[in-house]
Amino acid sequence: MGRTQLSATVLHAIFREKTFEASSDDAERTKRNLQKKYWALVIGCPRRAGGIISVPLGKVMVDNGKSDRITIMDDGRAQSAQCAVTEYRVIETSDKGFTWLELSPLTGRKHQLRVHWAEVLGTPILGDYRYGWQAHRNLNKQYLLEQKWGPLGFNMRNGSVSDRQQPPHLHLHCREMVLPNISQALQQHASDDTFSKVENIKLFAPLPPHMQRSWDHLNS
């Protein structure tokens, strides 16, 4: 997005903004230079229509050290633990057993949204086999027993999209992003204080085709 080396450097710094002290307080949130809102379709429904998830995450080695995985850290004081905070609200629920959510990460940890929903709320994001494998497996068994086509056009007996013979794509999408006008900030010798004085740029992205088809199906 940066058209010059300087603007690219400033943008890089904004995206890597430290968020260890993230808070759910509105005043604190408005101080952040970068704000993002995601849309996700999850399997199941959270118990509450909205709220804050604040659970530390960390990386652990699996498969005898051949790969790593992000997971919840029982000891938030462990060296590998990182504060991870997400705000969410329910957009729409479906009688087919799915829920549309708006997710606002107040921190930017690796796989934060995927782990929070799969391991904290127990409602993994559709298409997230890495962290929601068991939920997808149960869903597959359910539709196999009923001898029906799966929801959203998926043939759950084969675990594939009925028309393309492919598994469902991850249903997670960055819908909105708000960041400071870098051009104005650079003219004013960019600093954290300067960012608070310049206008914000709001970027909106339409749903990708596979999520739009899911939306249309669940809301028809």
Side-chain angles (χ1 to χ4, degrees), residues 3-58:
R3 298 181 63 186
T4 67
Q5 182 62 48
L6 179 57
S7 63
T9 300
V10 174
L11 281 168
H12 182 72
I14 290 175
F15 274 83
R16 292 187 61 84
E17 181 180 29
K18 298 298 183 181
T19 54
F20 285 101
E21 301 301 325
S23 168
S24 61
D25 182 76
D26 286 338
E28 289 295 323
R29 194 181 309 117
T30 57
K31 294 179 183 178
R32 292 174 50 74
N33 294 318
L34 176 67
Q35 301 175 46
K36 294 182 286 185
K37 292 182 179 180
Y38 289 78
W39 276 24
L41 181 61
V42 301
I43 301 173
C45 181
R47 294 182 180 180
R48 298 181 179 179
I52 296 283
I53 298 175
S54 180
V55 178
L57 303 178

Side-chain angles (χ1 to χ4, degrees), residues 19 51 68 132 176 206 215:
T19 54
D68 60 74
E176 178 183 336
W215 174 268

Side-chain angles (χ1 to χ4, degrees), residues 88-112:
Y88 76 95
R89 71 176 183 89
V90 171
I91 299 174
E92 193 81 34
T93 58
S94 167
D95 57 7
K96 295 181 174 66
F98 297 88
T99 305
W100 287 97
L101 299 174
E102 180 182 82
L103 317 177
S104 301
L106 303 185
T107 55
R109 309 306 176 202
K110 181 179 180 180
H111 294 177
Q112 172 177 321

